[in-house]
Amino acid sequence: MAIRPLHDRVLVRRAEEEEKSAGGIILTDSAKEKPMQGTIIAAGHGKILTDGGIRALDVKVGDKVLFGKYAGNEVKVDGEELLMMREEDIMGVIE
Amino acid sequence: MAIRPLHDRVLVRRAEEEEKSAGGIILTDSAKEKPMQGTIIAAGHGKILTDGGIRALDVKVGDKVLFGKYAGNEVKVDGEELLMMREEDIMGVIE
Amino acid sequence: MAIRPLHDRVLVRRAEEEEKSAGGIILTDSAKEKPMQGTIIAAGHGKILTDGGIRALDVKVGDKVLFGKYAGNEVKVDGEELLMMREEDIMGVIE
Amino acid sequence: MAIRPLHDRVLVRRAEEEEKSAGGIILTDSAKEKPMQGTIIAAGHGKILTDGGIRALDVKVGDKVLFGKYAGNEVKVDGEELLMMREEDIMGVIE
Amino acid sequence: MAIRPLHDRVLVRRAEEEEKSAGGIILTDSAKEKPMQGTIIAAGHGKILTDGGIRALDVKVGDKVLFGKYAGNEVKVDGEELLMMREEDIMGVIE
Amino acid sequence: MAIRPLHDRVLVRRAEEEEKSAGGIILTDSAKEKPMQGTIIAAGHGKILTDGGIRALDVKVGDKVLFGKYAGNEVKVDGEELLMMREEDIMGVIE
Amino acid sequence: MAIRPLHDRVLVRRAEEEEKSAGGIILTDSAKEKPMQGTIIAAGHGKILTDGGIRALDVKVGDKVLFGKYAGNEVKVDGEELLMMREEDIMGVIE
């Protein structure tokens, strides 16, 4: 079962807690630390411009990305919790 | 009795609770899980651009779509509850 | 006595309660069901664009339309209560 | 003493209460009915567009117009209370 | 000591209370009547457009203008209280 | 140690209290009078336009300017408190 | 482990407390003084324009920059706390 995100949205699988603990990159929060990196597993065709054109995304499937703690909406696909967010919510790509 | 949605609106029939329970895709909510997928049964001609032009929608009648819990307005057509929403409210298409 | 709506506004006569009860289309509300369909009896010339141009409306006099519960302003013309609303407030046309 | 409204503003003389009571057009309010029609007695040259151009108004001096209850600012000219409002506040023209 | 207002701003000297009382034009307020007309004593070169261009103002030094009660910022120049406001805050010109 | 303000920002040294007291220009506040004029000591290259172009500023280093009481952010440079603000926050130039 | 900021974002290493105390530049706050300068260690390709084009940033890796106290999001990279912010949050460059 596959999902095609619309426009400038991407579907992200969050990184597991353990894979981040050793020298990983995490966004901290005064309250508590929570995973905020993941891998893009599906991406839209691009952002709709005000003139009706489309701009291709700067991220692609497979990119490891950083995003804010409250970015996106949770989506459960085949029992797995994923995140649907906009490219705008992605702060950077881990290379 | 048919409805033609205006501009970038689509008319959606929500998926039944049971058809989602087996490996389906659902959007979760901390409070409770509620169906947030459906099928487009009517679509507008496209989004009005600021220059007066029109951009065709990226979804079409028959598409199975994901949308947010509070997306759209309920419309009762011939006794059936449907949802009228904007293309912008659709997060992705299930393929 | 006639009213010419300005720009992208239309004047709507709400459907009577009884004509909606038999297989009609109504917008539901958790509080109570109230008529939210009607017929356009006057329409403006079109929406003013940001460059000063005008875009003709996609609805016309005689169209049966769906609209939100709080759309428009009530106007009393020759003792009859009508609704003045914008094309944007119209969700769809009943065909 | 004359006032030249700037840009897309118009100066309106509200209709008297009595001239509206016989088959007239009035905007109703759940609280109470108040006159919301009037006659344009002065009009600006047009709306300033974002590119610096100007769009001529669709209303003119002498037009009888409908407007919302809270539209415009009261202005007292030679002891008479008038309303200064924008063309956007005008819902329609009575013909 | 002179002030050159920037862009679409103008410097206004408010009319004295007494010169308004005889058939003058005043903006009324349910709370109390306060002078809201004045004379432009300095004006900017024009409004900056979104494309970087400039649009000349429709008011000039010497114009008697009407403005809202809370328009502008008070500026004290050589002991005199003046108002610095934007052209947008000016409703009309008294001719 | 020098600071180059970015884009449409300028760095301002506020006028001393005493240099304003003799016939100077000050912005008044019902609470208390506080200095709100100063001299530009560094300026950005210009405002970024929505099309990516740049518009040169209408103020320059050395200009004596008027600004609102809460304009800008305080910056301490080599022990001196300066104000970093946008050209938009400047109401006028004292000539 | 490297991070590539997206679009108009930059990754900043905040200056240490001690290096600012001797004649340095700091932004003050009535509550307390906190470091608000740092060095850019990674930068995006540029800001996305509304027409889909891109504008190169006016700051680059190695620039010492001033920014507001609440600018950006904290990111922990290999155990070090960094700040991810937008070019818009940068007030100036220290030269």
Side-chain angles (χ1 to χ4, degrees), chain D residues 2 4 7 9 76 78 86, chain E residues 23 25-26 58 88 93 95:
Chain D
R4 167 171 63 90
H7 306 152
R9 289 186 179 88
K76 193 180 281 187
D78 296 334
R86 294 175 181 277
Chain E
I25 298 166
I26 47 180
D58 287 328
E88 186 60 29
V93 179
E95 301 186 321

Side-chain angles (χ1 to χ4, degrees), chain A residues 3-12 40-48 54-61 83-88 90, chain B residues 58 90-93 95:
Chain A
I3 298 179
R4 167 170 63 90
L6 267 199
H7 306 152
D8 56 336
R9 287 188 181 88
V10 296
L11 193 61
V12 172
I40 295 179
I41 59 176
H45 289 318
K47 182 175 171 63
I48 304 301
I54 201 161
R55 189 186 64 79
L57 300 186
D58 287 328
V59 292
K60 59 182 189 305
V61 171
L83 277 173
M84 184 72 89
M85 67 183 68
R86 293 174 182 277
E87 186 197 30
E88 186 60 28
I90 298 178
Chain B
D58 287 328
I90 298 178
M91 296 176 181
V93 178
E95 299 186 322

Side-chain angles (χ1 to χ4, degrees), chain F residues 1-7 9 48-52 73-79 81 84 86, chain G residues 23-28 33 49-50 55 58-59 63 66 87-95:
Chain F
M1 185 175 290
I3 298 179
R4 167 169 63 89
L6 267 198
H7 306 152
R9 287 186 180 90
I48 304 301
L49 304 176
T50 55
D51 66 356
N73 294 78
E74 300 205 335
V75 188
K76 194 180 280 186
V77 180
D78 295 335
E81 283 205 354
M84 183 72 89
R86 294 173 182 279
Chain G
I25 297 166
I26 48 180
L27 297 184
T28 62
E33 299 196 354
L49 305 176
T50 54
R55 190 186 62 79
D58 287 328
V59 292
D63 278 356
L66 284 177
E87 186 196 30
E88 186 60 28
D89 295 323
I90 297 177
M91 296 176 181
V93 178
I94 306 169
E95 300 186 322

Side-chain angles (χ1 to χ4, degrees), chain C residues 8-80:
Chain C
D8 56 337
R9 288 188 179 87
V10 296
L11 193 61
V12 172
R13 174 177 290 127
R14 270 196 288 220
E16 297 293 326
E17 285 284 350
E18 42 282 8
E19 91 182 35
K20 286 172 303 90
S21 59
I25 298 167
I26 47 179
L27 297 184
T28 62
D29 185 68
S30 60
K32 82 169 191 171
E33 300 198 351
K34 239 189 83 174
M36 271 169 297
Q37 57 175 296
T39 303
I40 295 178
I41 60 175
H45 289 318
K47 182 176 171 62
I48 304 300
L49 304 176
T50 55
D51 66 356
I54 202 161
R55 190 187 63 80
L57 299 186
D58 287 328
V59 292
K60 59 182 189 305
V61 171
D63 278 357
K64 295 203 169 187
V65 294
L66 284 177
F67 46 88
K69 190 172 179 174
Y70 302 105
N73 294 77
E74 300 206 336
V75 189
K76 194 181 279 187
V77 182
D78 295 334
E80 181 188 20

